[in-house]
């Protein structure tokens, strides 16, 4: 199994995530598209099991006819009538509640139940589905646990959150994308103790799943180990690399003592960013090294968590996305060193005022692009997006204190990002249901 941070097997000398990971992902996606295209072609092949003849026969199926009639009416009526239809169908015609019907009904009512403050009513519906259509409920168990856990999380029911997350952890391999979103929600809410216990259960489930791609398993393991490290730091701020060796043995990981010692020293404030270090890092601009960025993120973690008291899990998630953003910005920036400069040749400059590029300081355009990727329909990693945006004021203050950014530039950056903050607030109000998330983005840039 090739990990994201392992040397790329192509022999380039780069880390896998910086070399062939994207290409390998694209190849797998292309293969999946081929499968989907073949399935689509079957739809227009009269002789296939999914062709017009088969579909025509399916329309004559009385059960399918009842399901279609229910859905047509259900989706074209009011919220309260939808509740009445669902309740009546469960009592009078439970056969129509297959896994697809269960998902569509519950997903539709879940969103409105949160808005209307009817979470108890919704949980009673899930209980009824579990009683009446147990097979469909089991097939949709990842979604069922997700809905239940969101409600418990929003309402501060930690005991229920813990029980539900542990249950989800035991079947994490069934839907790792789903499980990953649960981790993000708990990280944003700072539930590190709950995460730690559940992830130990998930490790057994996921590591024994032979159907997962190596890169999927590697990404999961990377996140598990990072959260485990944060948990151990919470328990013992004097943690050393020697303490970690035994703990990480079960993950089949080898710790590089020198590198881990440096990381822990910056994360716990035992080592500070010196003026010389700051000068050396700025001298790398515009091509900041990944090692320098990791050093600064580790040092900023100490500032955010140990000095300001912000949640370790949320700070860790925000700084992880911030690191990804800085590298993204560096790759897309017009200030990136071009080929002629790398070859030692002079490049022609346009006349006019020269611009100063600080690779560590966010700008509105690239931040907008990066947030757009996190919030796009098919990923919608909204907890990561909001954790990133919320850590920016802390990051800018950290840079200023360590002479990596002028105070005036930090203030101007916060001012320029204010429009994005309002956009995120509108998204939260219109599409998201987590009250903590809405509260936090409303008071930005205060953290």
């Amino acid at each position: 199994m090739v990990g994201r941070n392992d040397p790329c097997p192509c022999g380039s000398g780069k880390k896998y995530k910086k070399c062939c990971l994207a290409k390998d992902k694209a190849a797998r996606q292309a293969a999946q598209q081929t499968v989907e295209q073949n399935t689509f072609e079957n739809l227009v092949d009269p002789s296939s099991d999914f062709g017009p003849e088969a579909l025509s026969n399916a329309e004559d199926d009385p059960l399918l006819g009842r399901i279609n009639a229910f859905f047509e009416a259900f989706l074209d009526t009011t919220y309260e009538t939808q509740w009445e239809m669902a309740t009546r169908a469960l009592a009078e015609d439970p056969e129509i509640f297959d896994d697809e019907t269960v998902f569509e009904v519950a997903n539709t009512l879940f969103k409105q139940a949160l808005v209307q403050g009817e979470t108890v009513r919704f949980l009673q519906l899930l209980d009824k589905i579990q009683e009446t259509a147990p097979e469909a409920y089991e097939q949709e168990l990842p979604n069922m646990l997700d809905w239940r856990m969101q409600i418990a999380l929003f309402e501060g029911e930690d005991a229920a959150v813990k029980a539900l997350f542990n249950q989800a952890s035991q079947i994490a391999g069934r839907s790792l994308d789903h499980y990953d979103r649960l981790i993000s929600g708990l990280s944003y809410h700072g539930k590190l103790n709950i995460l730690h216990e559940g992830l130990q259960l998930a490790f057994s489930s996921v590591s024994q799943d032979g159907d997962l791609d190596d890169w999927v398993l590697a990404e999961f393991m990377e996140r598990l180990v990072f959260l485990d490290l944060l948990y151990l730091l919470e328990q013992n701020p004097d943690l050393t690399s020697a303490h970690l060796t035994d703990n990480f043995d079960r993950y089949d990981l080898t710790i590089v003592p020198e590198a881990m010692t440096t990381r822990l020293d910056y994360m716990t404030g035992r080592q500070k960013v010196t003026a010389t270090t700051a000068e050396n890092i700025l001298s790398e601009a515009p091509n900041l090294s990944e090692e320098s960025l990791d050093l600064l993120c580790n040092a900023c973690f100490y500032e955010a968590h140990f000095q300001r008291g912000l949640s370790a899990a949320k700070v860790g998630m925000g700084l992880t996305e911030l690191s990804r953003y800085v590298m993204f910005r560096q790759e897309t920036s017009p200030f990136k060193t071009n080929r002629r400069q790398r070859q030692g040749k002079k490049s022609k400059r346009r006349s006019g005022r020269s611009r100063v590029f600080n690779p560590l300081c966010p700008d509105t355009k690239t931040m907008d692009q990066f947030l757009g990727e996190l919030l796009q329909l098919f990923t919608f990693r909204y907890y990561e997006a909001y954790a990133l945006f919320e850590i920016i004021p802390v990051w800018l203050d950290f840079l200023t204190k360590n002479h990596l950014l002028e105070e005036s530039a930090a203030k101007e950056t916060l001012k320029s990002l204010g429009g994005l903050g309002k956009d995120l607030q509108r998204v939260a109000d219109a599409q998201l249901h987590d009250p903590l998330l809405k509260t936090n983005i409303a008071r930005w840039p205060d953290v």
Side-chain angles (χ1 to χ4, degrees):
M1 181 182 72
V2 183
R4 287 166 53 84
N5 291 310
D6 291 341
C8 188
C10 75
S12 66
K14 299 179 180 179
K15 291 183 179 180
Y16 181 48
K17 67 182 179 182
K18 285 293 184 181
C19 193
C20 291
L21 175 58
K23 181 183 69 176
D24 291 349
K25 281 187 177 181
R28 281 187 287 271
Q29 290 170 352
Q32 180 62 30
Q33 288 173 357
T34 300
V35 172
E36 292 171 355
Q37 177 64 25
N38 290 336
T39 303
F40 175 76
E41 289 170 354
N42 286 337
L43 289 173
V44 296
D45 179 2
S47 64
S48 77
D49 291 337
F50 302 98
E53 293 177 5
L55 293 175
S56 177
N57 293 334
E59 291 175 357
D60 295 332
D61 182 343
L63 175 59
L64 184 58
R66 299 203 309 275
I67 293 174
N68 289 340
F70 172 83
F71 266 126
E72 185 175 348
F74 181 82
L75 297 175
D76 192 34
T77 191
T78 63
Y79 168 69
E80 195 57 43
T81 304
Q82 286 176 335
W83 273 106
E84 294 173 3
M85 288 183 64
T87 302
R88 185 169 63 251
L90 279 169
E92 299 175 1
D93 194 10
E95 193 178 11
I96 70 172
F97 276 82
D98 59 6
D99 58 321
E100 292 185 15
T101 305
V102 163
F103 173 79
E104 292 297 341
V105 168
N107 190 51
T108 300
L109 293 177
F110 173 69
K111 299 171 184 176
Q112 282 300 315
L114 289 177
V115 172
Q116 300 293 333
E118 297 187 324
T119 55
V120 172
R121 188 183 191 186
F122 179 79
L123 292 174
Q124 291 171 344
L125 173 68
L126 296 190
D127 291 341
K128 188 65 177 177
I129 292 172
Q130 185 176 15
E131 174 190 339
T132 308
E135 184 175 338
Y137 184 93
E138 173 61 28
Q139 288 177 308
E140 289 297 321
L141 188 56
N143 282 311
M144 296 295 172
L145 295 174
D146 186 359
W147 291 319
R148 289 182 183 276
M149 203 182 91
Q150 284 189 61
I151 291 172
L153 190 62
F154 300 164
E155 296 181 353
E157 299 289 343
D158 280 4
V161 171
K162 178 180 177 180
L164 291 164
F165 184 63
N166 285 349
Q167 190 178 353
S169 298
Q170 295 175 49
I171 60 166
R174 280 177 54 176
S175 180
L176 204 52
D177 284 345
H178 224 112
Y179 186 69
D180 198 54
R181 290 195 292 272
L182 298 183
I183 295 175
S184 297
L186 290 174
S187 295
Y188 186 88
H189 280 257
K191 306 299 183 182
L192 194 53
N193 289 344
I194 294 175
L195 279 165
H196 176 72
E197 181 175 327
L199 285 169
Q200 305 313 303
L201 297 172
F203 172 65
S204 299
S205 167
V206 173
S207 59
Q208 293 172 11
D209 191 324
D211 294 332
L212 293 174
D213 288 334
D214 286 349
W215 68 269
V216 174
L217 182 57
E219 286 190 344
F220 170 77
M221 289 301 302
E222 185 174 346
R223 193 169 196 188
L224 183 155
V225 169
F226 178 62
L227 286 166
D228 205 18
L229 172 62
L230 297 185
Y231 173 80
L232 293 172
L233 274 175
E234 285 268 82
Q235 305 304 306
N236 179 18
D238 296 324
L239 192 69
T240 66
S241 60
H243 294 139
L244 293 175
T245 302
D246 292 340
N247 194 75
F248 286 174
D249 273 351
R250 64 180 180 273
Y251 304 136
D252 196 24
L253 292 176
T254 301
I255 291 178
V256 180
E258 296 80 6
M260 182 56 72
T261 296
T262 299
R263 181 179 193 179
L264 291 174
D265 283 348
Y266 278 105
M267 291 182 76
T268 57
R270 295 192 291 257
Q271 188 167 341
K272 307 289 188 181
V273 178
T274 65
T276 301
T277 301
E279 184 178 349
N280 290 338
I281 289 174
L282 287 178
S283 70
E284 297 177 7
N287 295 315
L288 190 68
S289 71
E290 192 172 341
E291 291 72 18
S292 294
L293 182 56
D294 287 345
L295 181 154
L296 293 178
C297 285
N298 290 331
C300 187
F301 176 86
Y302 171 74
E303 168 74 20
H305 175 57
F306 287 106
Q307 294 294 100
R308 297 194 181 207
L310 302 179
S311 148
K314 182 179 176 182
V315 168
M317 182 165 66
L319 288 174
T320 296
E321 295 305 320
L322 180 66
S323 176
R324 290 182 60 241
Y325 162 72
V326 171
M327 299 311 293
F328 164 82
R329 180 174 183 252
Q330 186 167 287
E331 289 298 316
T332 58
S333 170
F335 292 89
K336 186 183 177 188
T337 304
N338 61 36
R339 186 175 181 181
R340 292 177 63 86
Q341 289 171 318
R342 288 197 300 269
Q343 292 174 342
K345 298 177 181 179
K346 293 182 178 180
S347 57
K348 295 180 180 179
R349 291 181 176 269
R350 295 180 179 179
S351 60
R353 186 177 62 181
S354 63
R355 292 173 290 174
V356 177
F357 175 73
N358 187 320
L360 299 168
C361 185
D363 68 88
T364 304
K365 180 179 179 181
T366 57
M367 179 58 69
D368 188 23
Q369 292 171 342
F370 191 79
L371 290 172
E373 289 191 5
L374 288 175
L375 294 172
Q376 63 178 311
L377 178 63
F378 294 107
T379 54
F380 206 45
R381 297 170 58 209
Y382 56 91
Y383 278 121
E384 284 85 350
Y386 284 77
L388 161 62
F389 201 73
E390 289 171 37
I391 202 67
I392 288 175
V394 180
W395 173 251
L396 294 175
D397 188 48
F398 164 78
L399 295 178
T400 302
K401 288 180 179 178
N402 288 281
H403 312 291
L404 291 156
L405 184 68
E406 294 291 335
E407 186 175 352
S408 58
K411 290 180 179 178
E412 182 60 32
T413 298
L414 284 179
K415 182 178 178 181
S416 67
L417 293 175
L420 289 180
K422 294 186 182 303
D423 289 341
L424 288 172
Q425 189 170 348
R426 282 191 286 269
V427 170
D429 290 338
Q431 301 182 43
L432 306 178
H433 307 290
D434 190 330
L436 179 63
L437 188 149
K438 293 182 179 184
T439 298
N440 289 341
I441 195 61
R443 67 183 188 186
W444 192 92
D446 294 330
V447 293

